[in-house]
Amino acid sequence: MASPQEPLIIRDKQEMRKWSRSMKTQGKTIGLVPTMGYLHKGHISLINEAHKHAQLIVVSIYVNPGQFSTSEDISTYPSDFNGDLNKLKCVNGGVDVVFNPYNLYDYGGSNVERENGGKREKVEGKMVVSCVEENGGGHETWIRVENLEKGLCGKSRPLFFRGVATVVSKLFNIVEPDVAVFGCLIQVRDLDFSVKVIGSEIMREDDGLAMSSRNVYLSKEERQKALSISRSLSKAKHAMEKGIINCEQLRVSLIQTVEEAGGKVDYAEIVDQHTLEVVEEVKNPVVFCVAAWFGKARLLDNIEINV
């Protein structure tokens, strides 16, 4: 058995870009796997996928303040940097670089927390805001995915898609990867990034629960109740395959099942696989997307349905 490979830890943006460009002058291809840390088997599967498409692997670990609203406490997001490093050392094929920046924003005098080697530290300000927002200052430039942010997570978390799209753009510009492995983003198409995006399926626990860093928040009882999400999605897929195509009927059934189990549904939407626009009837390949609260955990899940 090969000995664990120690990844290089880079925290400075310029140093990260310098490393990538140095590797590219040697003819190497680079794969990026963006994460917010607290890694699980789902993240490892993304790294394994990246190895199929690139010679060198960069894993970013950065809890992005730009996607958290004022009502969300970024300091409570689970973190175990040393544990993450130990997991990455054991990945087949290894990980070449862990990019763990202190911050990726101009804070303009506001206070936020940043991650520093597994320990969160205060930097000036409470959150990353735009200068056009109330009491905003500093960071001014944001990527907006206009149609996407009107639905799904955008309804209850209006800053979410803006924050994710912006930080992904930053990572692409800093790491300069050839390939990135995570959920597909429309911005890659619209902004002509020279990055090939590889989508990967959701990884599940043995009982069907979608893997998530937030699962650590669930009590044993809540975890059992949360299985209603994946089971309801599987039931909906079976119903569609049997010819039920009315999306409202399918949504109502899922919401009822999850809420009877003790959950609070944030959204349940059936969207086109390519545009992510909400559909009323299932006539083409779709994704059934769900976000629901169980206790303190906001859980996301989805299932692709090809009809």
Side-chain angles (χ1 to χ4, degrees), residues 23-296:
M23 294 301 106
K24 288 192 173 188
T25 62
Q26 300 175 37
K28 303 292 186 181
T29 55
I30 298 171
L32 169 66
V33 179
T35 82
M36 294 210 301
Y38 211 74
L39 305 181
H40 51 67
K41 291 180 181 178
H43 296 112
I44 303 305
S45 73
L46 298 180
I47 298 170
N48 291 334
E49 182 65 28
H51 272 293
K52 299 176 184 178
H53 305 276
Q55 297 166 295
L56 302 174
I57 305 301
V58 176
V59 174
S60 64
I61 296 179
Y62 179 64
V63 180
N64 173 34
Q67 69 195 60
F68 288 80
S69 70
T70 53
S71 62
E72 298 172 303
D73 188 357
I74 187 174
S75 67
T76 65
Y77 193 86
S79 174
D80 182 9
F81 186 75
N82 290 330
D84 290 342
L85 287 181
N86 288 332
K87 292 173 184 176
L88 294 176
K89 290 176 188 177
C90 299
V91 171
N92 289 333
V95 169
D96 297 280
V97 171
V98 172
F99 180 45
N100 178 225
Y102 294 130
N103 74 73
L104 293 179
Y105 295 89
D106 172 6
Y107 297 112
S110 56
N111 267 329
V112 297
E113 291 187 335
R114 67 187 178 193
E115 179 137 345
N116 179 2
K119 180 175 67 175
R120 286 199 169 83
E121 299 177 338
K122 283 284 183 183
V123 288
E124 301 184 357
K126 293 183 179 178
M127 64 174 295
V128 174
V129 293
S130 165
C131 68
V132 300
E133 295 168 326
E134 184 179 358
N135 298 322
H139 194 86
E140 297 186 39
T141 307
W142 299 91
I143 304 295
R144 301 288 296 269
V145 191
E146 293 188 357
N147 284 328
L148 185 58
E149 65 186 30
K150 294 175 183 176
L152 303 178
C153 288
K155 288 184 178 180
S156 60
R157 303 179 71 193
L159 301 181
F160 177 76
F161 284 116
R162 184 191 79 168
V164 171
T166 300
V167 81
V168 168
S169 299
K170 284 175 167 289
L171 289 171
F172 282 179
N173 285 328
I174 295 165
V175 179
E176 299 182 350
D178 300 282
V179 175
V181 184
F182 51 171
C184 293
L185 294 177
I186 291 176
Q187 73 182 88
V188 174
R189 177 200 69 196
D190 289 354
L191 298 182
D192 297 315
F193 284 110
S194 60
V195 180
K196 181 179 180 181
V197 172
I198 308 295
S200 188
E201 293 184 4
I202 285 179
M203 289 288 289
R204 299 186 181 277
E205 305 288 356
D206 292 340
D207 56 11
L209 184 69
M211 290 185 179
S212 169
S213 300
R214 290 182 172 90
N215 289 348
V216 69
Y217 296 144
L218 295 168
S219 67
K220 185 176 181 180
E221 180 182 3
E222 288 167 347
R223 194 184 186 288
Q224 286 300 310
K225 292 179 177 180
L227 296 176
S228 61
I229 301 175
S230 59
R231 290 170 180 170
S232 295
L233 285 171
S234 295
K235 182 180 177 181
K237 180 178 181 179
H238 182 71
M240 291 185 208
E241 291 170 345
K242 290 293 185 180
I244 297 177
I245 63 171
N246 183 283
C247 293
E248 184 62 19
Q249 179 181 350
L250 294 163
R251 288 181 63 256
V252 168
S253 176
L254 181 142
I255 292 170
Q256 181 178 348
T257 300
V258 172
E259 293 192 341
E260 285 178 352
K264 180 181 179 182
V265 175
D266 185 357
Y267 64 78
E269 299 286 3
I270 300 174
V271 300
D272 183 273
Q273 279 192 19
H274 300 292
T275 66
L276 297 185
E277 292 180 354
V278 174
V279 298
E280 295 181 359
E281 290 188 341
V282 182
K283 298 179 180 179
N284 298 302
V286 297
V287 187
F288 200 158
C289 304
V290 178
W293 288 89
F294 280 88
K296 297 179 180 179

